[in-house]
Amino acid sequence: MRGKVAVACIAILAALSVAGVAFAKHILYAEVVSVNASTRTLTVDIQGLQWTCNVVERAHTLADLKPGDKIGIIYTESKKGRPLCHHVFPVPTGG
């Protein structure tokens, strides 16, 4: 199962590089705390720290996310240093 997740992550990173994302890409895994569809922001918990990012239009339908969801995020930082989320994907939980 982990192999499938790793392959999916590699495929996503490859797709983003072809799409022309010019900045360094970062990936993290977190739990959704809150979603604000009107401002297209996503707040997540990363090992006890809350982190908020702006979600680009094509990244994900925010209506699909709810607090408690385990997700992966691929993001870059804007010129002002704010995180810009380019892709959100579900992370399978053990079981």
Side-chain angles (χ1 to χ4, degrees):
M1 185 63 164
R2 288 181 186 225
K4 289 181 181 180
V5 172
V7 170
C9 289
I10 292 169
I12 291 166
L13 290 173
L16 285 174
S17 64
V18 170
V21 177
F23 302 99
K25 294 177 258 340
H26 308 281
I27 188 167
L28 60 86
Y29 299 93
E31 182 176 318
V32 175
V33 173
S34 65
V35 178
N36 187 327
S38 63
T39 61
R40 295 201 58 79
T41 57
L42 174 63
T43 301
V44 296
D45 181 276
I46 307 164
Q47 298 179 346
L49 299 173
Q50 287 198 358
W51 184 79
T52 301
C53 66
N54 294 334
V55 180
V56 298
E57 191 67 36
R58 67 185 181 279
H60 196 275
T61 305
L62 294 178
D64 293 344
L65 298 175
K66 61 185 178 306
D69 284 351
K70 307 286 191 238
I71 60 171
I73 298 172
I74 296 175
Y75 71 98
T76 61
E77 290 187 9
S78 72
K79 292 178 183 177
K80 295 181 180 180
R82 292 195 44 108
L84 298 172
C85 177
H86 295 275
H87 188 73
V88 176
F89 54 95
V91 174
T93 55

